[in-house]
Amino acid sequence: MIKTILITGTSSGIGRAIATYFSERNWNVAATMRKPDKETELQHLKNIKLYPLDVVDQNSIQTAINDIIKDFDKIDVVVNNAGYGAVGIFEKSEHKDIQKQFDVNVFGLMNVTRYILPHFRKNHNGTIINITSVGGRITFPLYSVYHGTKWAVEGFAEALQFELKPFNIKVKNVEPGAIKTDFYDRSQELFQNPEIADYDDYEKITFANTQKAGKDAPGPEIVAKTVYKAANSKSFKLRYPVGPSAGLFLMLRKLIPLSWFTKMVSSVVERGYDKQ
């Protein structure tokens, strides 16, 4: 029987790569995005059908899930991919910036998860895959709010797995390191406050260093391959780091004292900044 996967945030980047990868492997793909009427490519691929879904609009989530079940009879896997990065100096942020970041990256993910659970419980089967980040377990400067959302999702998923295991529902976190997508461009929002200038030199240098990591990174296909592995796994393994940098950073974070790890991060991300 052909399986069906629901993916949020498929208009670009990792979400689009996942949709394409699963389509090529003969899965039914419910590719969701806020404005599917503007999409011109995905709907022409085999086994892909587009649905409007905004993770901050609970009515759109319920409608999309109902329509997908009506079209494909069953949903086997949900990939919580929709998200973006609100980055920059924390003092420059405003309440609305932080609220929006958590609304999309955390509460939106929880909304989709909550609405799919009755279907998974009924079937006594299902897999929830969250696209988190290596930044859900380690941190870098300028990403305090973004990290807050990813750490929240990591904790949420780690606890949720206990509740869902009796129903044979698997929870999996795919944790990419730096990936070359529009996350470092269109999918980032930089906090702006011209009245606060004291951080300007620090922000300019650290932001340039972090952007370089994205430009030198592998493409989103590497994430799609890991999601495919997680979706087909019969195990209840929770975490799937993606990319050599992710595995290395997470291993070092476990093995060395936090003070050493912090200095290591500083030496890379703050390179070129005169702290004097």
Side-chain angles (χ1 to χ4, degrees):
M1 180 179 292
I2 298 177
K3 291 186 175 182
T4 299
I5 184 169
L6 185 167
I7 311 163
T8 65
T10 59
S11 61
S12 64
I14 290 174
R16 178 180 288 268
I18 296 170
T20 302
Y21 196 87
F22 275 78
S23 167
E24 292 170 347
R25 282 148 187 83
N26 298 314
W27 280 58
N28 293 323
V29 178
T32 76
M33 59 190 73
R34 287 179 296 173
K35 298 178 180 179
D37 55 304
K38 294 186 176 181
E39 174 57 45
T40 59
E41 298 177 3
L42 281 181
Q43 68 265 39
H44 299 301
L45 301 180
K46 65 178 182 177
N47 305 327
I48 292 184
K49 188 168 182 178
L50 305 185
Y51 298 85
L53 189 156
D54 186 340
V55 297
V56 301
D57 180 345
Q58 297 185 51
N59 288 332
S60 82
I61 296 170
Q62 186 67 80
T63 298
I65 289 174
N66 290 343
D67 289 346
I68 294 164
I69 293 172
K70 184 185 300 182
D71 290 341
F72 296 110
D73 188 52
K74 180 185 178 185
I75 299 172
D76 299 281
V77 178
V78 166
V79 178
N80 286 313
N81 167 74
Y84 74 102
V87 304
I89 298 298
F90 177 74
E91 191 180 344
K92 292 184 178 183
S93 68
E94 298 181 26
H95 175 76
K96 63 180 179 62
D97 301 322
I98 300 168
Q99 183 71 55
K100 180 182 175 183
Q101 178 76 136
F102 275 80
D103 281 345
V104 175
N105 290 12
V106 180
F107 304 134
L109 178 148
M110 289 180 174
N111 287 337
V112 175
T113 300
R114 189 171 61 253
Y115 279 107
I116 196 61
L117 285 179
H119 180 66
F120 282 175
R121 275 194 299 105
K122 178 182 177 182
N123 295 326
H124 207 77
N125 188 56
T127 301
I128 298 164
I129 300 176
N130 304 311
I131 306 301
T132 59
S133 169
V134 66
R137 292 200 276 160
I138 63 176
T139 63
F140 302 96
L142 304 186
Y143 286 77
S144 58
V145 176
Y146 174 79
H147 282 309
T149 66
K150 295 303 183 179
W151 280 61
V153 171
E154 287 283 346
F156 166 68
E158 188 171 306
L160 185 65
Q161 65 177 341
F162 293 105
E163 302 173 19
L164 301 185
K165 190 173 183 179
F167 301 98
N168 195 36
I169 301 171
K170 302 174 181 67
V171 181
K172 298 173 180 289
N173 287 349
V174 171
E175 305 167 327
I179 300 294
K180 191 173 184 178
T181 68
D182 64 356
F183 175 83
Y184 293 93
D185 184 15
R186 186 178 68 85
S187 294
Q188 272 194 163
E189 293 185 5
L190 184 65
F191 302 139
Q192 303 286 345
N193 189 332
E195 295 182 2
I196 301 176
D198 291 349
Y199 298 97
D200 284 0
D201 289 344
Y202 179 83
E203 183 178 34
K204 179 180 179 181
I205 291 171
T206 54
F207 187 70
N209 287 337
T210 56
Q211 292 295 101
K212 184 178 184 299
K215 292 177 181 178
D216 297 338
E221 295 77 18
I222 191 174
V223 182
K225 290 179 181 179
T226 303
V227 171
Y228 188 77
K229 176 182 177 181
N232 285 285
S233 174
K234 295 181 180 179
S235 79
F236 284 83
K237 177 182 176 181
L238 175 63
R239 292 187 168 98
Y240 293 74
V242 182
S245 63
L248 176 62
F249 272 113
L250 291 172
M251 179 184 68
L252 289 173
R253 180 65 184 86
K254 286 182 178 181
L255 295 178
I256 66 176
L258 178 58
S259 59
W260 295 8
F261 187 81
T262 301
K263 288 180 180 179
M264 182 186 70
V265 171
S266 176
S267 69
V268 174
V269 183
E270 296 176 341
R271 183 183 293 121
Y273 175 65
D274 183 359
K275 297 181 182 181
Q276 300 300 317

